[in-house]
Amino acid sequence: MDLADRVDDLEQALHKISQWSKAYPLEVFPEPDLVKARALLEAGGITLDSISAHCMRHVIEGVGKIADSALRTPE
């Protein structure tokens, strides 16, 4: 694989991450009332922190998979 192909692969990975960052626009998914969400979740025995951690883990694992795939040693 030549350098230009390698750069193209890395740019494609960055484009995937960029596209994913735009997948949930505020016009479609407005910011929630986190105070109300915390109260409702805690009433059900769930913490907002656990929900937040779950969501962030999902996102960062997806970004990590894209990065890992792009960073594999080319043959």
Side-chain angles (χ1 to χ4, degrees):
M1 173 181 288
D2 69 4
L3 184 57
D5 288 339
R6 184 72 178 129
V7 169
D8 285 343
D9 288 348
L10 295 171
E11 284 184 349
Q12 285 179 19
L14 289 173
H15 284 293
K16 284 182 187 178
I17 293 169
S18 177
Q19 284 177 319
W20 196 5
S21 75
K22 297 171 181 78
Y24 301 98
L26 288 172
E27 300 80 32
V28 178
F29 301 98
E31 294 291 340
D33 180 337
L34 294 176
V35 173
K36 185 184 278 186
R38 178 178 294 278
L40 291 168
L41 288 166
E42 287 177 351
I46 302 169
T47 66
L48 183 57
D49 292 340
S50 68
I51 299 292
S52 297
H54 168 78
C55 293
M56 281 306 302
R57 205 169 20 252
H58 171 74
V59 169
I60 206 66
E61 286 174 356
V63 170
K65 286 178 185 177
I66 294 169
D68 289 344
S69 177
L71 293 171
R72 285 198 183 112
T73 306
E75 296 178 14

